Every structure is written in structure tokens, then in C-alpha cells.
Amino acid sequence: ETGVTQTPRHLVMGMTNKKSLKCEQHLGHNAMYWYKQSAKKPLELMFVYNFKEQTENNSVPSRFSPECPNSSHLFLHLHTLQPEDSALYLCASSQFQGPNSPLHFGNGTRLTVT
Amino acid sequence: GESVGLHLPTLSVQEGDNSIINCAYSNSASDYFIWYKQESGKGPQFIIDIRSNMDKRQGQRVTVLLNKTVKHLSLQIAATQPGDSAVYFCAENSKRVANAGGTSYGKLTFGQGTILTVHP
């Protein structure tokens, strides 16, 4: 149990579908993140939310749309994705106020775009 | 060894041996470093961290060494076990960003990882 729960664990979707990834953290943290992990590439930061406000959008295409209704929940809405978007999408949380606080990750959603 | 942003090296050891995983970082302004372990099918798991005012920090069976002169970080695992087999990432806190409230936070930059395989 990591304290950060992601659903679904696996998702296969066509390029015309719309789906959402869900993340919930039980650690009392106030910052949440979406990362993309592709094969043979470092973890790529996508979005950061601090106290429900988006503080970072790392030049992510608009076909990815995040939503953070409260400090414990984070969504990533997906639409008209491309095959190259297939990857492991990781959610993480941290205590934002501390500049030196580690991220706590969920186990990710393995996304396959067909 | 591993360098942030480059190839994915591998390390193969026998059970009971000590393992050393290396990481070179590029930003001399980085002041906080973390090691993560990622097992197959799971997300990265925090192992140990170290601040730049320290050279060494020990945890349970793990030690992190920081050499700021050559910008090098290493993770030592004592008495390596098959359960230690995983991909190990280093991360550096290299960029400061201020939020609307004026509090600064660092953005973590991750290395590509080192694959550790432990043979029984």
C-alpha cells in the first residue's frame, strides 16, 4: 500500500475514445502530480497541483486535461489520443510547502492507445 | 553508472553481495537528492534522500553517498537480496519555482534508471 491509489491499473483505448484516469492520496499531502513514464526515457512531469490550483503545465498537449477537485483527488481526462501516448501514467503527491520533500507515487495506469 | 537523461545501465550481482549504483548529476545548484526503487508493475518507491549539506546518509541496508565536487551520487545496498531486483532512479531537486503564496519548491529531475538483477 503506497498511500496513493490509481485506477484503472490498465486501460486500452482507441484514438477516438474519451477516458479518465483517477488518483487518490491518503497521506494528507497538499500537492499532486501527473508523470508520464515511457520506455527508456526519464520520468516526464506533466502537471502539478498545489492546494487544488494548477501550478505547472509542462507543455502537455491539450488532449490531456487534468482536474483536481480537492487536495486528495486528481484526474487526467484523455481524448483523441495518439499511439505515441501509450505509456505508464503515474500520479504522485508530496507536502508542497517543503522544497525538499520526496514524492510518493502510485502504481500507475498502463495506457495503450490503439 | 547512470547519468540523468542517458542510457539505462544494468548491474548484476549475487545474493549476499553489496551493490553500488551510481548517478551523475549535472546541476551544481541541486541541493536535494532522492533514490527511488521501481519494481515491475509498480510505481517508484522512495528509498532514501540526502541534502547537499551532507556527504553520507544511512538507512536500513542502504547508504547514499554524495560527492558534490564531481557531482556524483551513489546508492550502496548491503547484503543484496533477490527482492532488491528492480530499477533504481536517482532524482535531483534542481529548479526552484515559487507558487502564488511565495513559497518556493523544487522540481525533481529524474535519471533514467539502473536495472539491478540479484541472482540467488
Side-chain angles (χ1 to χ4, degrees):
Chain A
E1 179 59 50
T2 68
V4 179
T5 303
Q6 290 187 244
T7 55
R9 289 299 312 276
H10 301 272
L11 178 63
V12 179
M13 60 186 289
M15 290 189 285
T16 58
N17 292 159
K18 290 185 179 181
K19 296 286 184 183
S20 296
L21 310 185
K22 179 183 176 182
C23 176
E24 181 176 0
Q25 60 98 359
H26 312 274
L27 300 170
H29 292 162
N30 48 37
M32 297 188 76
Y33 309 75
W34 280 116
Y35 278 84
K36 176 183 179 182
Q37 188 174 37
S38 305
K40 299 186 178 180
K41 292 176 70 175
L43 282 165
E44 299 174 68
L45 177 65
M46 300 175 72
F47 302 103
V48 181
Y49 277 83
N50 177 32
F51 290 107
K52 303 185 299 179
E53 293 186 10
Q54 187 179 128
T55 57
E56 186 89 18
N57 178 337
N58 205 27
S59 302
V60 180
S62 60
R63 57 186 184 268
F64 295 90
S65 175
E67 178 190 0
C68 188
N70 54 59
S71 294
S72 299
H73 293 86
L74 185 65
F75 296 89
L76 188 62
H77 304 299
L78 316 171
H79 63 97
T80 59
L81 294 191
Q82 304 298 312
E84 60 264 28
D85 296 322
S86 298
L88 181 67
Y89 288 85
L90 290 161
C91 173
S93 68
S94 74
Q95 277 301 108
F96 199 80
Q97 293 302 318
N100 298 331
S101 59
L103 302 180
H104 295 261
F105 287 90
N107 286 326
T109 294
R110 174 68 62 185
L111 175 67
T112 303
V113 181
T114 60
Chain B
E2 168 191 352
S3 190
V4 175
L6 297 184
H7 64 280
L8 194 65
T10 60
L11 176 64
S12 186
V13 301
Q14 289 295 126
E15 181 178 2
D17 288 351
N18 296 333
S19 301
I20 300 176
I21 300 171
N22 297 302
C23 177
Y25 63 94
S26 58
N27 191 338
S28 57
S30 294
D31 60 3
Y32 178 60
F33 305 87
I34 310 174
W35 279 101
Y36 284 93
K37 170 187 179 184
Q38 187 172 21
E39 297 174 88
S40 179
K42 295 185 178 181
Q45 176 187 1
F46 172 84
I47 301 174
I48 192 168
D49 57 4
I50 187 168
R51 290 173 171 71
S52 59
N53 61 353
M54 304 172 68
D55 297 323
K56 178 180 179 179
R57 190 169 187 216
Q58 288 184 292
Q60 188 175 18
R61 278 200 311 118
V62 295
T63 301
V64 56
L65 298 177
L66 176 61
N67 186 330
K68 294 179 288 293
T69 302
V70 295
K71 293 186 286 188
H72 183 268
L73 190 70
S74 69
L75 177 70
Q76 300 179 358
I77 305 174
T80 316
Q81 303 167 0
D84 295 326
S85 295
V87 179
Y88 289 80
F89 299 92
C90 67
E92 60 179 304
N93 194 358
S94 58
K95 179 179 176 182
R96 296 289 182 187
V97 180
N99 64 12
T103 301
S104 68
Y105 66 97
K107 289 181 62 176
L108 289 177
T109 300
F110 287 85
Q112 199 159 342
T114 295
I115 301 172
L116 174 65
T117 303
V118 183
H119 300 283

